Amino acid sequence: SNSKYVEIPSIPNPYENLLKYKNELEKINQYNQEILKDLEYQITNSDDANISQINNEIDVINRVIIENKLELEEIIVKLSQIESNP
């Protein structure tokens, strides 16, 4: 027969999207943790003049990490809700 098949693009799955987002947040969190370790290392190997600047950078990274973790927790809750109510 001359039937033509049309590939229908898949409809975005909210669960898959949240899962991808969660994975990206985890990568960001890991990267921020590495930055934090590096800054802490710089403090232990730095003279007094640079410590204030490094402490400011650490404060910023700590805030970003906290915000990221809160958002990650929200995404995990949403994923578990979707899993329990398919």
Side-chain angles (χ1 to χ4, degrees):
S1 74
N2 286 336
S3 299
K4 292 185 179 181
Y5 293 97
V6 177
E7 186 174 329
I8 300 172
S10 62
I11 298 171
N13 180 334
Y15 180 82
E16 288 177 19
N17 289 342
L18 284 173
L19 192 58
K20 287 178 187 176
Y21 186 55
K22 178 188 86 74
N23 292 336
E24 290 303 312
L25 284 174
E26 288 173 340
K27 289 177 189 175
I28 291 168
N29 189 44
Q30 183 178 1
Y31 176 73
N32 286 334
Q33 294 286 347
E34 291 171 12
I35 291 173
L36 185 59
K37 282 183 191 177
D38 181 57
L39 290 171
E40 290 170 343
Y41 174 81
Q42 288 180 41
I43 282 181
T44 59
N45 297 300
S46 180
D47 59 20
D48 288 340
N50 294 328
I51 290 181
S52 177
Q53 174 64 31
I54 294 170
N55 279 328
N56 289 338
E57 292 177 29
I58 286 174
D59 289 342
V60 170
I61 291 295
N62 275 326
R63 283 195 306 270
V64 169
I65 288 171
I66 289 168
E67 290 172 6
N68 186 308
K69 283 183 179 181
L70 291 173
E71 190 167 355
L72 190 54
E73 288 172 9
E74 288 178 17
I75 296 301
I76 290 170
V77 167
K78 288 179 183 177
L79 284 169
S80 66
Q81 289 171 346
I82 290 173
E83 282 179 335
S84 63
N85 297 318

